[in-house]
Amino acid sequence: QVQLVESGGGLVQAGGSLRLSCAASGRTFSTYAMGWVRQAPGKEREFVASISWSARNTYYADSVKGRFTISRDNAKNTVNLQMNSLKPEDTAVYYCAANGRTRHSLTVYYRAQEYDYWGQGTQVTVSS
């Protein structure tokens, strides 16, 4: 199992940047594909980005492609989400998530339902 704790959320103006971090604890973190999923008030969970456990492959939702970058540092047990050119529609609670069934180093997951472990979330608010 893995425990996840997000940080870095806050209030930012449209067009600004924010960097989210996720600290993970667990003996098998380095072999888990990781992802970020967000949920806006009154809406369903929305996949944002995924990164394979080797960090050699990433996948992004169309809505954030070109603006967000996911990265990981397995030595430090962290995964990050750099968010640039933020828009009001990016406002949501952002969750760090892990897939505990990853079998290949290049696998990414682009559905929220494919993740097994979740953090508590961190609020991101983008003002216009």
Side-chain angles (χ1 to χ4, degrees):
Q1 295 186 354
V2 60
Q3 296 181 24
L4 308 171
V5 180
E6 304 94 336
S7 63
L11 176 65
V12 64
Q13 294 184 15
S17 298
L18 206 60
R19 183 178 177 87
L20 305 183
S21 295
C22 174
S25 61
R27 57 189 175 184
T28 57
F29 168 79
S30 63
T31 61
Y32 291 171
M34 300 292 295
W36 288 93
V37 178
R38 66 187 182 186
Q39 186 169 25
K43 297 184 178 180
E44 296 294 319
R45 291 176 298 173
E46 178 188 19
F47 167 79
V48 176
S50 180
I51 186 167
S52 61
W53 65 258
S54 70
R56 294 175 60 189
N57 199 19
T58 58
Y59 189 88
Y60 298 92
D62 289 340
S63 60
V64 306
K65 192 175 300 182
R67 300 189 298 121
F68 291 9
T69 302
I70 188 171
S71 61
R72 70 188 297 164
D73 186 338
N74 290 341
K76 297 181 179 180
N77 285 357
T78 59
V79 60
N80 304 301
L81 185 69
Q82 178 65 46
M83 305 184 293
N84 298 326
S85 302
L86 284 163
K87 305 174 181 179
E89 51 262 44
D90 294 319
T91 296
V93 175
Y94 283 71
Y95 298 92
C96 176
N99 180 286
R101 307 173 187 180
T102 308
R103 305 295 289 273
H104 295 281
S105 62
L106 294 178
T107 302
V108 294
Y109 298 93
Y110 47 87
R111 297 174 61 194
Q113 299 92 321
E114 293 179 301
Y115 291 94
D116 304 300
Y117 306 105
W118 300 80
Q120 290 290 97
T122 185
Q123 177 70 48
V124 172
T125 302
V126 184
S127 62
S128 59

